[in-house]
Amino acid sequence: MVAEQIASRIETGVWPTGTVVPAEVALAQEFRVSVGTIRRALSELTAGGVLVRRRKTGTVVTGRIPHHSLRFFFDYFRLHARSGKLQNSTSQVLNLTTRPPSPDEATRLALPDDAPVIHLHRLRLVDERPVMHEVVILPAHLVPDFPTDPDLVPHRIYPMLWDDYGLKISAVREQVEADLATETDCRLLNMTQPAAVLMLHEVAYDQMGRPILLNNHRACTREDVYINEIQ
């Protein structure tokens, strides 16, 4: 999407706060799309507070990122630098199996007790620094041909669900807690006990309100913070 490409320029600092965005015609030529497509992209980002239109100046980068936006939720890592800047992350698969659900997983995903699920445990890194590990649970029948090769699992699961399986996430519910770091936390996140970790228990729902994914995160916040913005 053009809006995502423009947002990426803002996030990476190519267009810092105060930048006057090029004219719609120039952007249309650069992105090789119609002026109407550019206009819609700019309107979307303006509605989200990323851009602002000013008389006699044009469209200007505000420096404000809508952390509540599902699009940003899908595309960006949710642990932010202490400056508030969004961060991109990569992932390293630690374990990938198909197994029966636990009783809790079956209940939360509204599955029969014998319905197989994909169990994905992976480590999240920012600039090669381990910051979080997470366990993703997906009903196997919703994601046929899910990669069995860990190297083929994409860094971002939500876009893959839409692109490959037509599963559109319409809502995400998170529960935030704190816990003492376990030996596994310390080993994976380079921590020393005693220490604390941030826990995020996530349930994603499709447009029909079906729970289709569970994600349990355990994160070190020594250098990062979790930001949630409500408008």
Side-chain angles (χ1 to χ4, degrees):
M1 288 177 58
V2 174
E4 292 176 351
Q5 296 178 62
I6 293 174
S8 178
R9 291 187 179 186
I10 296 169
E11 278 303 301
T12 56
V14 175
W15 289 354
T17 301
T19 297
V20 178
V21 175
E24 293 176 351
V25 173
L27 287 175
Q29 293 174 346
E30 179 180 354
F31 288 105
R32 298 182 180 180
V33 296
S34 69
V35 172
T37 297
I38 292 294
R39 189 168 294 142
R40 286 191 294 274
L42 296 180
S43 294
E44 176 185 341
L45 294 172
T46 299
V50 179
L51 301 174
V52 63
R53 299 187 187 276
R54 294 178 180 165
R55 291 184 60 188
K56 299 182 180 180
T57 302
T59 302
V60 180
V61 176
T62 65
R64 181 178 172 279
I65 301 301
H67 302 146
H68 66 287
S69 165
L70 275 179
R71 181 169 63 79
F72 279 84
F73 187 91
F74 298 158
D75 291 343
Y76 292 95
F77 192 50
R78 275 154 297 144
L79 280 187
H80 304 247
R82 290 195 173 273
S83 65
K85 182 179 180 181
L86 287 169
Q87 302 177 121
N88 285 311
S89 70
T90 57
S91 62
Q92 175 187 336
V93 175
L94 304 174
N95 186 35
L96 175 59
T97 59
T98 300
R99 59 165 174 76
S102 69
D104 178 66
E105 291 164 354
T107 298
R108 295 173 71 192
L109 290 170
L111 293 175
D113 293 341
D114 58 350
V117 295
I118 305 295
H119 174 281
L120 173 65
H121 184 202
R122 58 186 184 172
L123 183 66
R124 285 280 183 184
L125 304 101
V126 172
D127 297 329
E128 300 185 357
R129 174 174 56 88
V131 296
M132 172 188 285
H133 67 106
E134 60 189 10
V135 173
V136 180
I137 304 296
L138 281 162
H141 73 277
L142 293 179
V143 288
D145 302 319
F146 190 89
T148 56
D149 183 346
D151 292 336
L152 298 180
V153 177
H155 295 308
R156 294 173 178 81
I157 296 293
Y158 286 143
M160 181 198 70
L161 293 179
W162 174 244
D163 294 339
D164 295 352
Y165 302 105
L167 297 171
K168 185 174 183 179
I169 305 299
S170 63
V172 177
R173 182 178 184 271
E174 287 186 331
Q175 179 177 320
V176 182
E177 301 179 50
D179 193 17
L180 290 175
T182 64
E183 291 184 1
T184 299
D185 295 328
C186 292
R187 174 172 54 84
L188 294 176
L189 304 177
N190 294 334
M191 302 171 69
T192 302
Q193 292 177 314
V197 292
L198 176 72
M199 296 192 303
L200 300 172
H201 303 291
E202 177 183 316
V203 185
Y205 300 86
D206 68 6
Q207 291 177 300
M208 295 181 289
R210 294 184 303 171
I212 64 172
L213 177 147
L214 304 178
N215 199 344
N216 295 312
H217 313 265
R218 295 179 69 87
C220 172
T221 56
R222 185 170 50 235
E223 300 180 39
D224 313 277
V225 293
Y226 181 81
I227 296 178
N228 182 29
E229 177 183 307
I230 299 174
Q231 288 192 340

